Amino acid sequence: MKQIMLWFSWFVSYYVLVLNTIYAILILISLFGIVSYWKNKIKGRIVEIVSSDFAPPVSLLVPAYNEEATIAKSVKSFLQIEYPEYEVVVINDGSKDRTLDVLKSEFELYIVDRKFRKVLPTKDIKAIYYSKKYSNLIVIDKENGGKSDALNAGINVCTYPYVCSLDADSILERDSIAKVMQPFFDNPDEVVATTGIVRIVNGCKLDAFGNIQELHLPKSAIAKFQIIEYLRAFLGARKGLSMIGSLVIASGAFAAFNKNAIIKVGGFSHRTVGEDMEVVVKLRKNSYKEGGHGKVEFVPDPIVWTQCPESIKDLSKQRRRWQRGLCQVLFMHKDLLFNPRYRMLGLFAMPYQFVFELLGPFVEIMGYIFIPFAYFTHIINLEVALFFFAVEVLYGIVISILAVLLGEFSERKYEEWREFGLLVLFAILENFGYRQMTVLFRIIGTFEAILNKKGWAKPERKKL
């Protein structure tokens, strides 16, 4: 028995070592990708797209449920972007607060009798509004059906061949759409989805039109920790996964798709709270079946800003929901796991999500509990315990600091040395309590998925 427990201790330690090494490799791959991006696709390339008559028109889809605190400023930022032809389609998904009233007042809405084809099934649409102030703003008022239902309603009503999903508490940079549409502009036959880096708006100062005026760290420690996570997840993992053809998540806060391709795979699914991941998996899967490449391109540039939770309660809701979505998508597409027919999607991308993102929290928590217990009961020696501490905590600190340094390559960075120093400090501190807390939330989320828990569990929004 003692030998089995010793082997298990080494297994947990080497598992964490492999996981963190993969993260480190992805960050290094990302670094090369980001340098290449800035060399080859710098501002002049974006200006070319913005001024081109051939830039594909796009519909921005904004699902909104109880968003009265943020909706006006967010929509204003969406209406200020620099792009040849686009429309903003806000879908009020049966809000119980004053979301629709705010939109009516702020944008002078009026009802129109607009005809559309219901190519995707959705809850009933009660009314469609146009704006007297902005000719490219459409507001859909519908019965509540959830985020995926709202997005499908937006696809039914919208005008243009490309769609971009956005959160109702997001703020766009002016050239965001040009950046995220660039891969479609360059390679429309191979790219099935594009996405970009999401940054945290908490603590930033906005002007009256929703533009970022001053970039500052949030006061909340919980929010500061999430800045580290977002830099690691987006600039590190997702850019790296994109470059090796293994990205299966296009953030629901900002992702662009070919509308007909979305319709062909049945739209956004109601069966999961991870609809953003599930639709990307479906698009890639279908592309491979049709002989395509199923590329998901990640744009490593700060292009959308979103609110993050500032309380442990709201953070728990968010992370549990994310984990439930991951579990649901993996179960819905279990036929992809280790399936060579789907190339990198089946042989690495989905197995990576299963082995490390789904099972990882359980292995980590066993390490935190079992290895100290095994050491103090003399089952393992100090060498094994220190090895686990080194690969779990010290290696984790190195990866977090690398992610912060990677953020310095972005166009939007914290200018003050004090704020940069704070980020480095929080990159260290997150490995002593915060990370373990989020691991616990993910475990709870997995059990909630097994128990088939329903509901979105939306965090509280604050006025921007």
Side-chain angles (χ1 to χ4, degrees), residues 207-218:
D207 63 21
F209 297 100
N211 300 308
I212 302 290
Q213 211 172 29
E214 295 179 15
L215 183 59
H216 296 294
L217 290 177

Side-chain angles (χ1 to χ4, degrees), residues 327 362 445-453:
C327 296
F362 291 92
T446 301
F447 283 114
E448 288 178 343
I450 293 170
L451 296 172
N452 199 28
K453 179 179 177 179

Side-chain angles (χ1 to χ4, degrees), residues 244-246 284-295 336-351:
I244 61 174
S246 299
R284 293 197 63 182
K285 192 175 181 179
N286 189 63
S287 178
Y288 285 138
K289 285 180 179 178
E290 295 181 346
H293 292 80
K295 288 186 176 180
L336 290 173
L337 289 170
F338 306 103
N339 190 335
R341 177 184 179 186
Y342 298 101
R343 289 170 270 177
M344 284 297 284
L345 177 65
L347 293 176
F348 180 76
M350 294 298 277

Side-chain angles (χ1 to χ4, degrees), residues 383-406:
E383 178 188 2
V384 181
L386 288 178
F387 181 73
F388 174 77
F389 176 81
V391 298
E392 175 64 27
V393 178
L394 299 183
Y395 205 168
I397 290 172
V398 170
I399 290 170
S400 296
I401 291 176
L402 283 175
V404 173
L405 293 174
L406 204 58

Side-chain angles (χ1 to χ4, degrees), residues 215-269:
L215 183 59
H216 296 294
L217 290 177
K219 295 180 181 179
S220 163
I222 294 292
K224 290 189 183 79
F225 284 129
Q226 288 170 85
I227 290 174
I228 309 299
E229 285 186 298
Y230 275 51
L231 288 173
R232 185 171 58 239
F234 287 96
L235 280 181
R238 294 191 186 180
K239 179 56 182 173
L241 288 170
S242 172
M243 292 181 67
I244 61 174
S246 299
L247 185 60
V248 292
I249 301 174
S251 174
F254 191 39
F257 310 92
N258 181 297
K259 182 169 74 172
N260 285 333
I262 291 266
I263 293 170
K264 187 183 292 186
V265 298
F268 290 87
S269 175

Side-chain angles (χ1 to χ4, degrees), residues 122-137:
T122 69
K123 295 287 187 178
D124 288 341
I125 290 177
K126 296 187 282 188
I128 297 177
Y129 296 84
Y130 282 3
S131 169
K132 293 180 181 179
K133 297 171 71 173
Y134 299 94
S135 61
N136 61 336
L137 174 61

Side-chain angles (χ1 to χ4, degrees), residues 273-371:
V273 292
E275 75 292 323
D276 49 357
M277 178 181 180
E278 199 275 337
V279 78
V280 171
V281 173
K282 281 193 301 192
L283 288 169
R284 293 197 63 182
K285 192 175 181 179
N286 189 63
S287 178
Y288 285 138
K289 285 180 179 178
E290 295 181 346
H293 292 80
K295 288 186 176 180
V296 180
E297 294 284 352
F298 181 90
V299 183
D301 204 358
I303 46 184
V304 68
W305 300 80
T306 191
Q307 282 197 45
C308 72
E310 292 194 348
S311 70
I312 292 176
K313 179 182 177 182
D314 283 343
L315 181 67
S316 172
K317 289 179 184 178
Q318 182 193 66
R319 299 312 164 87
R320 283 155 41 209
R321 186 184 76 241
W322 287 358
Q323 192 72 6
R324 276 193 289 136
L326 172 66
C327 296
Q328 291 161 350
V329 174
L330 286 171
F331 179 78
M332 291 166 67
H333 297 281
K334 55 184 178 294
D335 60 308
L336 290 173
L337 289 170
F338 306 103
N339 190 335
R341 177 184 179 186
Y342 298 101
R343 289 170 270 177
M344 284 297 284
L345 177 65
L347 293 176
F348 180 76
M350 294 298 277
Y352 169 84
Q353 295 294 324
F354 177 77
V355 174
F356 293 112
E357 297 299 329
L358 177 60
L359 300 181
F362 291 92
V363 177
E364 278 194 64
I365 206 72
M366 283 191 291
Y368 293 133
I369 295 171
F370 176 79
I371 287 184

